[in-house]
């Protein structure tokens, strides 16, 4: 696949417009799309649409295709597996791939303690299971989550997700015993130190819930949908320390930050935090649906036989893809590559910020970088600007996503296989889009 931005029609082209009309007639209105184009192929750092336009991919299908969307090792592994068998159900007649993925996750996740893993299909399903396990292991009901958090769209994870529109609006009532604490948000909390922000959160949880009632504290080490909010140093370790002291299970939701994305296997590692349980999905399986809960054996094994599972959890095709994706990340040095992508993005975005007060903040780690756009005079979130810049980039052939509680954050999550040339071209386009 040619690794170059090339537009041969307007965006969207005629074939995409035809398909969009069919979508409108056949697909539920609630399922939205970021781009008005339909994909025909994807790989490296490029998505090719049905009209033959080559678009630069700065989204990786929301942080999924870290090894690219058609890595030959993933394709070969899945092809071999699909010929052997597509499914038996691990709970009926198990197969080696599932066990091998569990072994790999036990090896790769932070900490040298004895670990166990259970596999599921989606990030939300894994988050739910992590909470189930923590409740059983502790015998406690309550769950602590944070402002701006995103954990999914199922009933329990909607309760855990902070933002109402579009994720929760009208879909209640929500699951009980979920309590929200204030986050560390250096750009907007007056530069509160990590330790002070943690003390504020702990004080609130202590007063309003009580540690003795808390089964788990669930946190994204860098918030994804919430705006790539990167807590001040010390925030995560202080929370983890408090959890340890009070027998609260510390659960890192690394669905978006995990699997090499931030320049480490897991974002928790940047602050030497060892979560009790760690939730993974997205980048784990080269684009196939797979998620996992990995953690301390004594917590994971609290659940009775038959208490955890699901028809498709750890599907053999997804497991084959995951093993190939892990091998690819290791063989191709993609963790270091994520770090270099972060340096390039940060340098180019910093240059754009000089002289442009609308770029309020640049943050994130590795290949997970964002800019928060604000009104130049007031510093208020500027969602309209983010929307306009994203739309202008889309028209010029760059797939870029927005996020944030206020919708004013542009986020960059390219495949780790993208070339420097494509990144520079995309940043040129972004500069033009910002210039209006
Ligand atoms: N936890 C940290 O980022 C998924 C959501 C896109 P699923 N983020 C993308 C959308 O609008 O639905 C996510 C996440 C974190 C959990 C999840 C949920 O993962 O695989 O989408 O269920």
């Amino acid at each position: 696949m040619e690794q170059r931005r090339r537009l041969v029609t307007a965006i969207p082209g005629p074939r995409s417009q035809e398909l969009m009309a069919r979508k409108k007639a056949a697909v539920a209105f609630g399922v939205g799309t970021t781009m008005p184009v339909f994909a025909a192929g994807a790989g490296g750092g490029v998505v090719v649409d049905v009209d033959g336009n080559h678009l630069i991919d700065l989204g990786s299908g929301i942080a999924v295709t870290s090894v690219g969307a058609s890595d030959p090792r993933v394709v070969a592994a899945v092809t071999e597996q699909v010929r052997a068998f597509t499914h038996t159900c691990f709970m009926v007649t198990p197969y080696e791939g599932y066990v091998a993925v569990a072994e790999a996750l036990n090896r790769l996740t932070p900490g040298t303690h004895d670990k166990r893993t259970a596999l599921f299909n989606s990030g939300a399903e894994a988050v739910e299971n992590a909470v189930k396990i923590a409740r059983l292991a502790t015998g406690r009901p309550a769950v602590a989550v944070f402002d701006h958090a995103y954990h999914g769209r199922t009933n329990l994870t909607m309760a855990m997700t902070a933002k109402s529109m579009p994720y929760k609006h009208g879909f209640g009532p929500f699951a009980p015993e979920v309590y929200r604490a204030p986050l560390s948000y250096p750009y907007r909390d007056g530069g509160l130190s990590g330790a002070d922000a943690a003390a504020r959160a702990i004080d609130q949880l202590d007063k309003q819930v009580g540690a003795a009632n808390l089964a788990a504290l669930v946190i994204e080490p860098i918030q994804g949908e919430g705006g790539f909010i990167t807590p001040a140093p010390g925030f995560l370790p202080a929370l983890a320390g408090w959890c340890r002291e009070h027998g609260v299970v510390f659960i890192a939701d690394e669905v978006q930050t995990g699997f090499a994305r931030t320049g480490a296997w897991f974002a928790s590692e940047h602050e030497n935090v060892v979560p009790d349980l760690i939730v993974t999905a997205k980048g784990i399986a080269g684009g196939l649906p797979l998620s996992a809960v990995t953690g301390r054996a004594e917590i994971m094994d609290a659940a009775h036989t038959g208490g955890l599972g699901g028809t498709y959890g750890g599907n053999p095709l997804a497991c084959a893809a995951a093993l190939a994706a892990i091998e690819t990340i290791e063989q191709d040095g993609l963790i270091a590559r994520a770090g270099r992508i972060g340096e390039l993005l940060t340098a180019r975005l910093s240059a754009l910020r000089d002289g442009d007060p609308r770029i309020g903040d640049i943050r994130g780690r590795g290949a997970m970088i964002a800019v928060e756009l604000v009104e130049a005079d007031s510093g208020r979130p500027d969602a309209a600007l983010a929307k306009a810049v994203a739309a202008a980039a889309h028209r010029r052939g760059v797939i870029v996503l927005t996020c944030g509680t206020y919708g004013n954050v542009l986020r960059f999550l390219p495949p780790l296989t993208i070339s420097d040339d494509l990144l520079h071209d995309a940043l040129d386009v972004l500069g033009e889009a910002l210039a209006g």
Side-chain angles (χ1 to χ4, degrees):
M1 190 167 303
E2 195 189 359
Q3 295 296 306
R4 197 160 71 84
R5 180 171 61 100
R6 188 157 56 89
L7 298 185
V8 294
T9 70
I11 300 289
R15 277 286 293 140
S16 278
Q17 288 183 41
E18 263 170 51
L19 285 166
M20 202 49 94
R22 280 173 54 196
K23 171 192 177 276
K24 213 171 156 184
V27 178
F29 184 69
V31 184
T33 67
T34 302
M35 292 278 297
V37 300
F38 278 73
V46 161
V47 173
V48 183
D49 77 9
V50 287
D51 292 289
N53 297 299
H54 284 53
L55 314 168
I56 302 179
D57 184 7
L58 297 184
S60 303
I62 323 190
V64 171
T65 52
S66 300
V67 298
S70 52
D71 178 81
R73 287 154 289 190
V74 172
V75 172
V78 173
T79 306
E80 193 182 324
Q81 179 60 48
V82 81
R83 285 212 179 92
F85 62 95
T86 56
H87 175 85
T88 59
C89 186
F90 191 74
M91 301 185 303
V92 179
T93 47
Y95 37 87
E96 184 177 349
Y98 188 119
V99 177
V101 171
E103 287 166 349
L105 285 166
N106 295 347
R107 168 172 69 87
L108 295 170
T109 47
T112 52
H113 49 277
D114 199 17
K115 294 176 202 153
R116 299 285 186 274
T117 287
L119 301 180
F120 305 97
N121 302 290
S122 69
E125 193 188 357
V127 171
E128 289 232 5
N129 276 278
V131 171
K132 278 165 64 172
I133 293 164
R135 281 179 168 153
L136 199 52
T138 59
R140 303 172 182 178
V143 180
V145 293
F146 286 82
D147 284 338
H148 311 287
Y150 184 92
H151 298 293
R153 294 176 182 267
T154 58
N155 188 259
L156 174 60
T157 59
M158 274 194 294
M160 296 168 70
T161 289
K163 190 173 172 176
S164 174
M165 189 57 103
Y167 308 122
K168 304 166 72 167
H169 174 74
F171 295 138
F174 304 111
E177 289 301 320
V178 175
Y179 300 91
R180 198 168 304 286
L183 189 71
S184 163
Y185 188 166
Y187 179 61
R188 292 201 177 272
D189 65 11
L192 209 58
S193 75
D196 286 348
R200 179 177 66 176
I202 287 166
D203 184 58
Q204 184 168 316
L205 291 171
D206 249 336
K207 299 285 181 308
Q208 297 183 9
V209 194
N213 298 305
L214 270 175
L217 179 151
V218 186
I219 190 163
E220 301 154 83
I222 298 174
Q223 285 190 327
E225 306 307 306
F228 285 24
I229 302 168
T230 313
F235 182 70
L236 295 170
L239 292 176
W242 180 74
C243 285
R244 202 175 317 116
E245 207 176 306
H246 295 280
V248 179
V249 178
F250 182 90
I251 303 177
D253 178 345
E254 294 236 20
V255 167
Q256 192 151 164
T257 51
F259 262 79
R261 175 57 49 191
T262 66
W265 274 110
F266 297 96
S268 298
E269 293 169 46
H270 296 296
E271 288 215 71
N272 297 316
V273 168
V274 178
D276 297 314
L277 302 183
I278 185 158
V279 181
T280 49
K282 288 189 185 286
I284 185 175
L288 273 81
L290 185 70
S291 64
V293 182
T294 300
R296 294 187 187 280
E298 63 277 17
I299 298 174
M300 292 295 296
D301 284 344
H304 45 278
T305 297
L308 303 176
T311 306
Y312 292 112
N315 168 270
L317 305 179
C319 287
L323 294 170
I326 291 166
E327 201 181 299
T328 301
I329 292 169
E330 285 177 334
Q331 277 175 357
D332 294 1
L334 293 183
I335 291 178
R337 177 66 190 147
R340 285 197 300 277
I341 289 171
E343 286 162 20
L344 187 156
L345 288 174
T346 308
R348 288 292 311 261
L349 294 166
S350 302
L352 285 175
R353 177 169 61 179
D354 289 342
D356 190 345
R358 298 172 304 167
I359 299 184
D361 194 24
I362 303 171
R363 58 180 179 247
R365 281 186 202 274
M368 183 172 183
I369 300 288
V371 292
E372 175 159 357
L373 299 178
V374 298
E375 291 171 3
D377 37 1
S378 67
R380 276 201 289 270
D382 194 343
L385 178 63
K387 204 172 159 195
V389 171
H394 297 164
R395 282 194 301 274
R396 291 170 165 89
V398 175
I399 302 172
V400 61
L401 310 178
T402 58
C403 63
T405 297
Y406 309 105
N408 65 322
V409 178
L410 294 173
R411 58 170 152 172
F412 309 106
L413 291 162
L416 307 179
T417 49
I418 197 170
S419 69
D420 282 2
D421 285 350
L422 281 176
L423 286 173
H424 280 298
D425 186 24
L427 267 292
D428 290 344
V429 167
L430 202 78
E432 290 163 24
L434 268 165

